């Protein structure tokens, strides 16, 4: 069993299934949208091997608390920091917490290599295992190229893709600053509009903005939210209902028989989220157009 969050992109949970382990979901903190560390100990059983926490939307988890729980129960701690390249928790970079972390470089990420990602670890055993698994299970330690010691995959990143990543890493500061500028413009224009909540940012974190997700206030339903997204689309503005809970994805319902109400905080929040258009070079006139239409559509619905 691996303890993880139901409010994430499906990959963070699927990787547990690939290892023939069982994802055990724990509900989220409604402010940070990350796994609620206060609920974790209740979910630990004799079968629990690890905690896999996700820095959702780039917002760092409570790593001090997660670290204490993992240590106390002798569990591996894994950080899915796919969305948090550049984020910091108490002055320390995301991706560096736990036994291993990851970054992903799919086209919607802060850095893009087409496909692929990286694993981060200070543990040589884990590093060697990952290198071998990514390379058809080869025995790489003694350069035994044609000796295969485990069932591996072809998860090698093509060099052309890696080259794109290296160039972008060299200007990561500029990329993060541009994204922060866009997020701040949205914040400024939406913070006094009572029908929505802008993303929460605590004083002990530094955000790397992966996406810009607002939440409708409590009186709005999923139906309202979906209507708003549709009406925004009619104005040429692409928004998204981001994320839908993992446990309610058809594949997970089929596998584990989950139902509505199993993780009520996650479900309640996911019914009222709207991801607004977000990318490095979004201009203020475009943000104004998004915000103006969003406000009009919501007021029309009231
Ligand atoms: C939370 C999270 N985990 C993992 C991934 C990695 O997914 P992929 O393997 O498709 O790059 C992503 C990104 O898409 C993600 O958002």
């Amino acid at each position: 069993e691996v303890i993880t969050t139901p409010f994430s992109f499906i990959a963070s949970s699927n990787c547990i299934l690939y290892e023939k382990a069982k994802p055990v979901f724990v509900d989220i903190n409604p402010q940070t949208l990350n796994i609620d560390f206060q609920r974790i100990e209740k979910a630990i059983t004799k079968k629990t091997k690890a905690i896999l926490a996700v820095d959702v939307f780039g917002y760092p988890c409570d790593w001090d608390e997660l670290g204490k729980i993992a240590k106390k129960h002798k569990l591996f701690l894994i950080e899915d920091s796919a969305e948090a390249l550049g984020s910091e928790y108490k002055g320390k970079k995301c991706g560096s917490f736990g036994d291993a972390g990851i970054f992903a470089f799919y086209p919607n990420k802060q850095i893009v290599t087409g496909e692929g990602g990286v694993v981060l670890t200070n543990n040589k055993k884990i590093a060697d295992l990952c290198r071998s698994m990514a390379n058809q299970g080869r025995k790489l330690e003694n350069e035994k190229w044609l000796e295969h010691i485990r069932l591996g995959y072809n998860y090698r990143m093509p060099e052309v893709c890696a080259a794109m990543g290296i160039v972008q890493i060299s200007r990561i500061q500029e990329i993060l600053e541009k994204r922060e500028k866009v997020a701040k413009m949205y914040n400024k224009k939406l913070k006094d509009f009572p029908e929505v909540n802008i993303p929460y940012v605590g004083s002990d974190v530094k955000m790397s903005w992966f996406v810009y997700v607002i939440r409708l206030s409590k009186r709005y339903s999923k139906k309202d939210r979906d209507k708003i997204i549709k009406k925004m689309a009619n104005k040429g503005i692409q928004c998204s209902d981001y994320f839908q809970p993992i446990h309610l994805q058809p594949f997970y319902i089929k596998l584990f028989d989950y139902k509505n109400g199993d993780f009520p905080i996650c479900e309640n929040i996911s019914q009222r989220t709207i991801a607004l258009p977000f990318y490095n070079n979004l201009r203020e006139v475009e943000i104004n157009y998004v915000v103006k239409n969003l406000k009009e559509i919501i007021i029309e619905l009231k």
Side-chain angles (χ1 to χ4, degrees):
E1 294 179 1
V2 177
I3 290 173
T4 193
T5 174
F7 191 70
S8 173
F9 181 63
I10 198 162
S12 62
S13 180
N14 281 354
C15 63
I16 299 167
L17 295 178
Y18 291 140
E19 295 308 313
K20 301 188 173 56
K22 185 184 172 196
V24 174
F25 295 117
V26 165
D27 216 338
I28 60 170
N29 173 325
Q31 195 169 41
T32 66
L33 310 185
N34 287 328
I35 193 165
D36 183 350
F37 71 86
Q38 288 175 319
R39 295 170 185 270
I40 289 180
E41 285 198 298
K42 271 187 262 156
I44 293 174
T45 71
K46 279 187 185 140
K47 293 183 183 171
T48 311
K49 290 274 196 273
I51 300 169
L52 191 163
V54 183
D55 300 313
V56 168
F57 301 153
Y59 195 94
C61 294
D62 292 291
W63 289 108
D64 278 352
E65 301 301 331
L66 295 176
K68 277 184 219 159
I69 298 168
K71 200 168 168 198
K72 181 173 159 195
H73 296 273
K74 296 190 172 62
L75 303 174
F76 283 104
L77 188 57
I78 304 162
E79 180 178 10
D80 181 338
S81 38
E83 305 180 354
L85 179 67
S87 289
E88 291 176 19
Y89 168 78
K90 298 185 180 173
K92 201 172 165 218
K93 289 259 191 290
C94 281
S96 66
F97 303 98
D99 299 283
I102 62 122
F103 292 128
F105 306 132
Y106 176 75
N108 67 350
K109 297 294 187 299
Q110 289 90 329
I111 278 183
V112 174
T113 60
E115 286 289 357
V118 292
V119 178
L120 300 99
T121 183
N122 281 332
N123 181 324
K124 184 171 181 321
K125 225 167 127 183
I126 296 175
D128 287 346
L129 178 65
C130 290
R131 287 195 179 100
S132 170
M133 283 178 74
N135 201 345
Q136 301 285 17
R138 289 190 153 94
K139 185 180 180 184
L140 292 169
E141 293 93 269
N142 300 319
E143 293 187 24
K144 292 270 185 186
W145 191 248
L146 289 175
E147 199 174 321
H148 301 266
I149 51 173
R150 57 177 59 86
L151 181 64
Y153 309 88
N154 175 359
Y155 282 174
R156 295 180 298 258
M157 179 184 278
E159 290 185 4
V160 174
C161 299
M164 285 198 291
I166 287 167
V167 172
Q168 287 167 75
I169 276 285
S170 72
R171 51 181 197 87
I172 182 73
Q173 220 40 49
E174 175 201 333
I175 292 170
L176 298 184
E177 278 165 20
K178 280 183 167 180
R179 297 175 86 86
E180 184 169 27
K181 194 171 151 207
V182 173
K184 281 192 167 156
M185 279 196 272
Y186 269 133
N187 279 345
K188 196 170 146 210
K189 294 169 200 292
L190 285 168
K191 72 176 181 350
D192 298 322
F193 184 54
E195 310 306 319
V196 307
N197 298 313
I198 60 170
Y200 166 77
V201 182
S203 58
D204 56 352
V205 310
K206 182 171 168 256
M207 277 296 280
S208 162
W209 291 90
F210 164 56
V211 280
Y212 189 87
V213 178
I214 55 158
R215 270 186 275 168
L216 294 169
S217 70
K218 284 202 173 118
R219 64 201 187 92
Y220 293 95
S221 64
K222 179 176 188 308
K223 228 167 143 186
D224 294 330
R225 191 271 313 269
D226 294 346
K227 221 185 264 176
I228 292 166
I229 291 179
K230 214 165 170 188
K231 288 191 170 188
M232 289 289 274
N234 291 339
K235 297 279 182 185
I237 305 165
Q238 191 186 21
C239 298
S240 177
D241 52 346
Y242 202 56
F243 295 114
Q244 297 173 39
I246 296 177
H247 67 284
L248 295 180
Q249 294 287 350
F251 171 56
Y252 276 74
I253 292 176
K254 206 165 132 192
L255 219 57
F256 297 109
D257 209 19
Y258 285 121
K259 48 194 183 318
N260 269 310
D262 283 344
F263 301 98
I265 301 170
C266 164
E267 290 164 27
N268 184 285
I269 282 168
S270 81
Q271 290 177 0
R272 288 179 290 111
T273 52
I274 303 178
L276 299 180
F278 190 76
Y279 52 89
N280 299 359
N281 293 324
L282 197 59
R283 292 175 300 150
E284 185 157 16
V285 285
E286 292 163 325
I287 293 172
N288 287 341
Y289 181 73
V290 172
V291 170
K292 176 179 161 285
N293 279 289
L294 180 72
K295 287 182 177 174
E296 280 174 9
I297 288 166
I298 293 176
I299 286 164
E300 218 175 87
L301 205 81
K302 253 165 87 174

